[in-house]
Amino acid sequence: MHRKIFYFLLLLILCPVLINAGTKGRIKGKVTDLQTGDILIGANVVVVGTTAGANTDASGEFLIQNLDPGVYEIKISYVGYKTITVSNLRVSADLTTYRDVQLPSQDIEVGSVTITAQRPMVQKDNTNAVRITTSEDISALPVRNVTSIIGLTAGVVLQNGYIFIRGGRTDEVGYYLEGISTRNPLSNLNAVTVSQDAIEEIQVQSGGYPAEFGGANSGIVRQQLKSGGNNFKTSIEWITDNLGFKSKANAFDGQKTLGAYTWGYSEMSGVFSGPVTDKLKMFFNLDYVYNRDGNPQPNPGINLGRIGDPSTKDTLPNYVYPAGPQAGRQTTNYTFTGTLNYDLRPILLRLTGSYTTSKGDISGNTGVGVRDFMNTRYGEGDNTNGSFTLKMTHVISDKIFYEITGGYYIRNSETFDKALGSNYWGYGDSTVNAAAGWTIPRAPRDLRDYATYKSAFGNDVPARGLGLFAWFFAQNGAVPVNYSKFNQTSFSINGSLTMLLGKFNTVKIGGEYQQYTLRNWSGVGATTLARTYNNRLAVNTANLSSDEIKKDILRGGGVNNYGFDVLGNVYDGSGFDAPHKPVFAAAYIQDKIEFEDLIINLGLRFDYIDIDNMTLKDPTLPDLAVIKGSTDLNPDGFVKTSSFSSVSPRIGFSFPITTSSMFHAQYGTFVQQPQLQNVYEGYYSFMQKIVGAGNFYATVTGPNLRPTRTTQYELGFTQQVTDFISFDITGFYRDIRDQVEYIKQPVQSISSYSPAYYIDGNGDFATTKGVEIALNMRRWERLQVNASISFQDAQGTGSSPNQKSGLVFQPLDGSTIYAPKNVTPLVQNRPLFGNISIDYRWGNNDGGPILQNLGLSALITFNTGHGFTLGYGNAQAETDTRNRYPIEALNSSLTPSELQVDLRIDKTFKLGDKLGLNVYLYVINLFDAVNVDNVFLKTGTATDNGVLSDPKLSATLIKTYGQDYINMYKAINLDYQLGWGGQGLGGNLFGPPRQVRLGVRLEY
C-alpha cells in the first residue's frame, strides 16, 4: 500500500470516524420569564414529531443539534408556565437557527400559544458568503430548472449553460448532494440530476467555505433533499407548452400560439411524503420530462424550394424546414428521488437516493439538424446517473455526536445507432444495414459510378450525402452516429465527530475517502471500419485471427479506451486497458467559536490526490513508448504518475454588531485537481495523436497535470434595514495558480517524431475580484422581493485550457516554444450581472373570490455581456485561431447587454378542507427579447459573419454559384448556426425565445 495512503488511513483510525461534508443544522436559544425576564433553568424544549430536544442550562440556554435541513416546530414547557409552540423554524445545513422564547406564567389567562417564526434577516454565524434558496423560495420562482435557480445567486454567472462562480472556470465548482460529492471527475460538472420538487434547500458558498469542504476552487453548490413530515402530503403536477392542445402531427407546424411555438415540452411530477410509523418517515418524488427540443432558439425556418448544384448534379426537390423545434433532438427523462428517516435515538438513520434515466435522439452526423432533415434514421444517447447515501448519526450526548455516511455514485452513457446498437463493425456494411431494415443511401454521382465502387468496396460502398455547393446533406438511411460508451462509479465513506467543548467551542473532526472507477471506449470512424477490416482480411498473409485484425485496426486508428479492452469489452486487469481508479481523500479539523459578539471558524484541511495514471517516462523521447513496426505500445516507456498532498488553512470571522447588523471576513487556501478529461485518454489514442503532432487539431491530454491552487480573501457586511428588509454586500479577491493551458513539448533531435507535440500542462494563472450585493425583502403585506447585483473583474492568461493553442502552434516571434503570459479579461467575465425576483400574492380570504390565492411572480435577469476579441480571417477562423488576426486586445470587447423577464401567474382553488388545485401560466422571456449570447468574431454581431455583407465577396459568390448559394448560406451559416464567440466555451448565438407553458397542480 502506498505510504501516504497508509499514513492517511492511520490518521482516520486514530480519529473516531471518517468525513462528512456536514448536512446537519441546529436550533439555539434562551428561555426566560415573559413578565420578569428571569432565566428559566431546566425548561423542556422538544422538536415536535421527533425525539430531538434539550433542557435549558444554568444560563437558560438550550441547543438542539442533529437536525436535517427543513422547517420545524418546537414546543417549550416549564412547570408553572404556559406551554409555547413556535412553528415555521427554518433549519439549514451547518448553520444555527437562533430563537429566544419568553414563557407566560400559568396565572395569565391565555389559551394555548403558537408563535409563527419568521426567517431571520441576518444569519449571524455566517463567516463567509452563504446564499440559501429554500423550497419555499423555489416554489415562488418562475423557473423550472435547478441550474437556472443556482444561476440566480449573487456571484454566479450562467453562460452557455455552464455555471461560473466568481470568475473561475467551469470546472472549479464543487457539487454536493446530501453531503456527498456528485461531481463528474472527468468534466468537474454536476453529474446527478435532481427534480426541483425534491429539493429542500440549495446552498451556494462562493469560495470562502470552511475546511470540511475541498476539491473546488471557486465555490460549492450543496443540495439537500426533502424529508417526510408528520402529516401525509401528496401532489401531482402536469406542465405542457402545447397550449392549443394540437395533435402530435400538427403541433410542430411552425405556427405560434400566444406568440410562442410549441417546443414539445411536457412534464409530470408526483410527490408523496409522510410518516410510515411514528419513527419512520419517507419522501418520494417521480419526475417525467419530455422535450422535443431542449435548446430552443429563435430560428426563422427555411423555405427555399428546389435547390440544385450544377457541378455535382445533386438536387434538393423542396428545401423546407419549419420554424420551432428541430427534429432529432427529443429527450425523455425519468428521475426518481426519495428519502427515508428512521429515528431510533440515540441512533438516527437517513437513506437517500436519486436516479435518472435519460434517452435522447441524435440527429445525423453532420452536426446541423437543417442538413439532416431528410434522414429519419436517428442515433440514440442512453444515459443514467444516480447518487445513493446511507447516513448514521449517533447522539452520544447533547454535546457530542458523530456521523458516518456511505455513498455510491453511478453514471453511464452509451451512444449508438438505433438499428445496429453495439455492432459497430457493421455500421459501414451495407448487408448488415439492409438486414436491420436500412438501405445505405447513394448520391446520384455514386450511382453513376456504382459498378466501380462495388468492385472496389464490395458490401462496404461508402455512403455520401447530397453535395450542394459547400454543404453536404445526409440522405435518409445514412448511419447517424459513431459508437461510444463510458461508465463511472464511485464509493465514498465519509464521517465527522462534533463536540461542544465548554459553552463556546464546537469542534469538528473528519475526513473522507472517495475512489472512482472510470471506463471509456470510443472508436474512430465506425462507418469505415467494415471496409478497413475486409481489406485487411483479403491480404491476411500473417494468418491473424479476426480479433487480432480488429485490434490492430483499432489500435492503429487511436481507439480511446480504458476500463474496456480494445474491442470494447469490460476489462478489470492491469496495463494499457485498465480502468482508472483515482482516489480523493482528506482529513480536517475545524473549530467554531461562538461568543455573543464574535464568531470564529478556524480550520485546517489535508488533501490527498492520486489520479492513477501513466505518463511518458521521457516526454522528450516519445519513441520509447512504442514498439516499432507494430501498433502496440511499450510498457517500459511509461511510468506511474505521482500522488499529490497539500495542507490548506481556513479562517473566518463574524462580528455581530447588533442583532440586525454584522461583518464577516474570511481567508483560505484551496486546491483542486483539474478535470480529468484533460488527463485521461486511451494510451493508443494518446500516442496516435503524438505521431500526428503536426496537426494541432488533435488535442492531446496532459497525463500528469497537477492540482490548481487558489488563495481567496473575502469581506462582507449585512444590515437589516427594517423588520422585513435586509441587504448584504461582500467583496472578494481570488488568486488562482497552475490552471491548465496548452503548451508545446519539445523532443530530442534523435526522436523519429516531429520537432514537438502539443499537450495540456499547468501554467495559466488568473486573478478575480468583485463586489456582490444582495437585497432580501421577506413578505410584507402581499409583496416579497429578492434581488442581487454583482460587479466582477476576472483577468488571467487563459479562459480555458486550449484558448492559446493557435499562438502556441504558430508563435508570432518564430520561437520554437512560446507560452504567452499576457493577462487579459477572461471570456467568462461579465462586469455586471444580476436579477430581481418579485412575488405578489393574495392569501386565503384576501381580496375577494377572484383575487384570493392569486399570485404573480416575475423574474428579471440582466447582464452586460461577456468578453470577446474582434478579428478577421476566413469562416474557419471563428474556431481555429491560426486563421484569425485580432484587431484589438484580447477580450476587450463585450457582447451586447441582455435583459429577460419571466412571468408566472397562478391561482389556487380550494376543493375541500385539504385538497387544493393550483393552475398557472408560465412564460419564459415574456417580451420575446432577442438577447445575443455570442457573436461572430469578425463583425461582433450575431446576424452577420462578414461574408455576405462584403460587397466584393458576395458579388463574387453570386457570380460563381448563383443566388441559390447565397440563400443557402444565409439559412445554414447564419439563421441556424451555432455561436462561435465562446472561444473554447461554445454556445448559441441567441438566448431562448418566448415560451409559454400551462401547469396544473393537485395537492393534498
Side-chain angles (χ1 to χ4, degrees):
M1 180 181 292
H2 196 287
R3 182 177 298 175
K4 288 186 177 179
I5 296 182
F6 173 79
Y7 287 145
F8 175 76
L9 294 176
L10 179 61
L11 172 64
L12 297 181
I13 292 172
L14 293 176
C15 295
V17 290
L18 309 172
I19 85 159
N20 184 37
T23 61
K24 298 291 188 180
R26 57 187 192 172
I27 300 174
K28 185 177 183 179
K30 178 183 287 189
V31 180
T32 57
D33 185 296
L34 176 64
Q35 287 75 41
T36 66
D38 294 339
I39 60 173
L40 299 180
I41 303 171
N44 187 37
V45 185
V46 298
V47 179
V48 177
T50 75
T51 58
N55 292 322
T56 56
D57 61 14
S59 301
E61 296 179 345
F62 68 91
L63 175 65
I64 305 173
Q65 305 192 83
N66 321 309
L67 297 175
D68 290 311
V71 177
Y72 292 91
E73 183 177 78
I74 61 173
K75 184 175 290 186
I76 305 95
S77 59
Y78 192 69
V79 176
Y81 289 82
K82 294 285 187 180
T83 297
I84 297 287
T85 300
V86 181
S87 63
N88 198 43
L89 277 172
R90 161 64 63 175
V91 173
S92 295
D94 279 348
L95 295 176
T96 303
T97 298
Y98 296 90
R99 183 68 201 191
D100 294 340
V101 181
Q102 294 80 41
L103 294 184
S105 170
Q106 287 277 19
D107 298 332
I108 300 177
E109 293 298 327
V110 294
S112 60
V113 180
T114 299
I115 301 171
T116 301
Q118 291 185 310
R119 187 174 170 182
M121 305 302 296
V122 177
Q123 184 68 45
K124 70 178 186 178
D125 62 332
N126 272 350
T127 59
N128 62 300
V130 180
R131 274 92 185 209
I132 300 173
T133 304
T134 67
S135 56
E136 296 87 356
D137 298 329
I138 293 172
S139 65
L141 285 170
V143 172
R144 193 71 195 171
N145 180 279
V146 173
T147 300
S148 297
I149 294 171
I150 296 169
L152 300 177
T153 309
V156 177
V157 166
L158 190 60
Q159 181 172 316
N160 298 331
Y162 295 103
I163 291 173
F164 300 84
I165 295 182
R166 289 186 173 177
R169 294 182 177 180
T170 58
D171 67 329
E172 294 180 2
V173 182
Y175 297 91
Y176 291 85
L177 178 63
E178 291 287 322
I180 296 294
S181 174
T182 58
R183 188 166 57 180
N184 173 5
L186 293 180
S187 65
N188 282 352
L189 302 179
N190 191 19
V192 174
T193 306
V194 180
S195 164
Q196 68 183 58
D197 291 335
I199 293 177
E200 181 61 50
E201 73 171 26
I202 300 173
Q203 273 194 23
V204 178
Q205 300 195 36
S206 305
Y209 36 87
E212 61 185 298
F213 298 102
N217 279 353
S218 66
I220 58 172
V221 178
R222 306 173 62 191
Q223 298 179 73
Q224 296 294 128
L225 300 176
K226 292 180 177 178
S227 302
N230 299 321
N231 301 310
F232 286 108
K233 292 184 179 180
T234 186
S235 67
I236 185 168
E237 185 170 9
W238 173 68
I239 310 168
T240 181
D241 69 348
N242 185 6
L243 301 185
F245 298 100
K246 299 178 181 178
S247 66
K248 189 174 182 180
N250 299 321
F252 311 107
D253 55 6
Q255 302 300 312
K256 292 184 177 182
T257 302
L258 295 182
Y261 295 113
T262 297
W263 294 92
Y265 179 90
S266 180
E267 180 175 6
M268 292 192 69
S269 178
V271 171
F272 179 81
S273 70
V276 179
T277 67
D278 290 342
K279 296 183 178 181
L280 181 64
K281 297 175 183 177
M282 61 85 67
F283 170 88
F284 178 75
N285 171 234
L286 169 60
D287 188 69
Y288 159 84
V289 179
Y290 170 83
N291 244 325
R292 185 178 174 90
D293 186 345
N295 184 28
Q297 283 287 286
N299 299 319
I302 297 173
N303 188 3
L304 299 182
R306 181 186 180 280
I307 298 289
D309 186 335
S311 61
T312 65
K313 303 296 191 296
D314 287 347
T315 301
L316 285 176
N318 189 23
Y319 192 10
V320 176
Y321 198 87
Q326 295 191 45
R329 292 186 174 186
Q330 67 179 9
T331 58
T332 303
N333 302 303
Y334 291 90
T335 299
F336 307 85
T337 307
T339 65
L340 278 174
N341 287 68
Y342 200 13
D343 190 343
L344 297 171
R345 236 169 241 279
I347 302 293
L348 305 174
L349 298 177
R350 179 173 172 85
L351 175 66
T352 68
S354 183
Y355 181 80
T356 297
T357 175
S358 173
K359 295 182 183 294
D361 285 349
I362 302 175
S363 172
N365 50 23
T366 70
V368 182
V370 292
R371 284 162 49 195
D372 288 321
F373 75 103
M374 295 182 293
N375 193 6
T376 60
R377 181 177 184 176
Y378 296 142
E380 181 173 298
D382 191 349
N383 306 283
T384 58
N385 67 73
S387 177
F388 309 91
T389 65
L390 176 60
K391 179 189 299 180
M392 182 193 75
T393 303
H394 183 193
V395 181
I396 299 174
S397 70
D398 59 351
K399 295 185 178 181
I400 301 176
F401 71 94
Y402 66 85
E403 294 178 296
I404 299 177
T405 305
Y408 181 73
Y409 153 96
I410 186 171
R411 185 167 182 260
N412 296 311
S413 179
E414 187 175 18
T415 302
F416 52 89
D417 170 59
K418 288 185 178 181
L420 300 181
S422 60
N423 181 21
Y424 59 89
W425 288 100
Y427 279 31
D429 190 318
S430 58
T431 301
V432 174
N433 277 265
W438 289 100
T439 300
I440 291 184
R442 311 296 176 192
R445 61 189 182 284
D446 294 335
L447 295 176
R448 290 192 296 270
D449 301 322
Y450 187 71
T452 303
Y453 277 102
K454 183 70 174 178
S455 62
F457 299 112
N459 289 330
D460 316 313
V461 179
R464 289 194 291 183
L466 298 179
L468 289 102
F469 307 114
W471 302 279
F472 280 87
F473 290 77
Q475 298 188 87
N476 196 31
V479 178
V481 292
N482 283 318
Y483 180 77
S484 63
K485 58 184 175 181
F486 67 76
N487 170 265
Q488 303 172 7
T489 60
S490 83
F491 170 75
S492 60
I493 181 72
N494 302 343
S496 63
L497 172 69
T498 302
M499 300 173 289
L500 182 62
L501 303 181
K503 192 174 181 179
F504 304 108
N505 292 68
T506 303
V507 176
K508 194 172 189 177
I509 302 172
E512 67 179 332
Y513 184 91
Q514 185 170 26
Q515 183 175 51
Y516 291 87
T517 299
L518 306 177
R519 306 177 191 272
N520 181 82
W521 192 97
S522 54
V524 286
T527 56
T528 67
L529 286 176
R531 182 169 72 250
T532 306
Y533 171 74
N534 288 330
N535 289 341
R536 287 285 301 275
L537 198 62
V539 293
N540 185 18
T541 57
N543 293 320
L544 298 175
S545 69
S546 173
D547 278 356
E548 287 173 331
I549 294 175
K550 290 180 178 179
K551 289 179 181 178
D552 198 52
I553 292 171
L554 291 171
R555 287 195 298 254
V559 62
N560 185 4
N561 72 297
Y562 49 87
F564 297 102
D565 65 19
V566 172
L567 294 176
N569 303 305
V570 173
Y571 179 78
D572 285 309
S574 58
F576 296 121
D577 297 340
H580 292 291
K581 296 185 177 182
V583 170
F584 299 88
Y588 67 85
I589 182 169
Q590 187 169 295
D591 186 9
K592 188 173 185 179
I593 308 168
E594 295 184 79
F595 300 111
E596 187 67 26
D597 55 357
L598 175 64
I599 298 172
I600 305 172
N601 248 321
L602 297 173
L604 194 66
R605 180 181 178 88
F606 169 77
D607 282 285
Y608 172 88
I609 301 171
D610 183 355
I611 59 175
D612 186 34
N613 198 31
M614 291 190 293
T615 186
L616 292 176
K617 187 174 184 178
D618 185 350
T620 68
L621 197 58
D623 305 57
L624 298 176
V626 298
I627 298 175
K628 294 190 181 301
S630 169
T631 59
D632 215 340
L633 303 177
N634 181 10
D636 294 335
F638 292 85
V639 294
K640 191 181 185 305
T641 56
S642 59
S643 61
F644 173 88
S645 60
S646 175
V647 175
S648 305
R650 316 273 175 86
I651 182 170
F653 299 91
S654 172
F655 307 92
I657 303 170
T658 66
T659 57
S660 59
S661 60
M662 58 165 281
F663 283 97
H664 82 264
Q666 189 275 338
Y667 161 83
T669 63
F670 310 86
V671 296
Q672 175 194 352
Q673 180 64 39
Q675 50 192 359
L676 293 179
Q677 66 188 19
N678 291 119
V679 175
Y680 296 152
E681 186 170 11
Y683 297 101
Y684 301 105
S685 175
F686 178 76
M687 291 307 300
Q688 192 269 346
K689 290 180 178 179
I690 291 179
V691 170
N695 179 10
F696 125 117
Y697 286 110
T699 302
V700 183
T701 56
N704 194 27
L705 289 178
R706 301 286 85 188
T708 301
R709 299 173 292 116
T710 297
T711 302
Q712 174 170 285
Y713 307 86
E714 179 182 299
L715 181 64
F717 172 70
T718 304
Q719 176 68 54
Q720 182 172 340
V721 182
T722 69
D723 289 341
F724 52 87
I725 297 177
S726 71
F727 73 89
D728 72 78
I729 178 170
T730 299
F732 67 89
Y733 177 88
R734 300 175 61 241
D735 180 71
I736 309 105
R737 303 282 171 172
D738 292 334
Q739 291 179 311
V740 180
E741 66 175 352
Y742 202 59
I743 62 174
K744 178 180 281 189
Q745 172 63 57
V747 300
Q748 296 184 37
S749 59
I750 60 173
S751 173
S752 60
Y753 294 96
S754 59
Y757 56 94
Y758 310 93
I759 196 168
D760 285 334
N762 295 101
D764 267 343
F765 58 88
T767 57
T768 68
K769 50 186 176 292
V771 175
E772 302 158 358
I773 303 173
L775 173 73
N776 298 287
M777 173 182 167
R778 65 188 174 201
R779 196 169 301 280
W780 179 72
E781 301 293 341
R782 302 186 182 101
L783 180 65
Q784 176 179 310
V785 178
N786 290 288
S788 72
I789 185 170
S790 301
F791 304 88
Q792 178 179 275
D793 179 27
Q795 301 200 30
T797 56
S799 302
S800 62
N802 299 319
Q803 178 179 301
K804 300 192 297 264
S805 52
L807 286 173
V808 173
F809 185 80
Q810 286 187 333
L812 300 178
D813 61 2
S815 62
T816 303
I817 302 175
Y818 181 60
K821 293 298 181 185
N822 299 321
V823 175
T824 59
L826 302 178
V827 170
Q828 62 265 32
N829 181 50
R830 291 183 185 260
L832 182 149
F833 54 94
N835 63 82
I836 304 171
S837 173
I838 303 171
D839 186 79
Y840 192 88
R841 193 164 299 277
W842 285 266
N844 195 29
N845 299 320
D846 177 22
I850 296 178
L851 294 180
Q852 70 171 340
N853 296 319
L854 178 70
L856 294 90
S857 299
L859 175 63
I860 305 166
T861 55
F862 54 89
N863 65 71
T864 55
H866 63 82
F868 73 95
T869 310
L870 280 171
Y872 64 93
N874 59 29
Q876 191 183 35
E878 297 290 342
T879 52
D880 183 356
T881 55
R882 294 176 301 172
N883 298 317
R884 284 195 61 225
Y885 301 91
I887 60 175
E888 62 179 2
L890 191 65
N891 296 327
S892 58
S893 291
L894 289 176
T895 58
S897 297
E898 299 180 67
L899 176 66
Q900 180 172 313
V901 178
D902 301 331
L903 179 69
R904 171 177 159 147
I905 302 175
D906 70 280
K907 183 173 175 62
T908 298
F909 301 90
K910 294 293 184 180
L911 306 178
D913 292 339
K914 296 184 178 181
L915 192 63
L917 176 67
N918 182 261
V919 181
Y920 61 87
L921 195 69
Y922 167 33
V923 185
I924 301 171
N925 195 357
L926 175 67
F927 300 111
D928 204 18
V930 180
N931 287 312
V932 175
D933 283 351
N934 292 291
V935 297
F936 291 105
L937 304 181
K938 185 175 181 179
T939 63
T941 73
T943 56
D944 176 18
N945 65 359
V947 175
L948 298 183
S949 60
D950 184 334
K952 293 182 180 179
L953 182 56
S954 59
T956 302
L957 291 172
I958 292 175
K959 182 178 179 180
T960 304
Y961 300 108
Q963 186 62 41
D964 281 351
Y965 177 90
I966 300 299
N967 294 339
M968 286 186 64
Y969 190 98
K970 181 179 183 301
I972 295 173
N973 281 19
L974 297 179
D975 292 343
Y976 277 84
Q977 186 58 276
L978 293 176
W980 299 112
Q983 294 184 4
L985 301 178
N988 298 311
L989 287 170
F990 299 100
R994 179 190 292 132
Q995 300 160 68
V996 183
R997 298 173 183 173
L998 174 68
V1000 178
R1001 180 183 179 92
L1002 186 65
E1003 187 168 18
Y1004 174 81

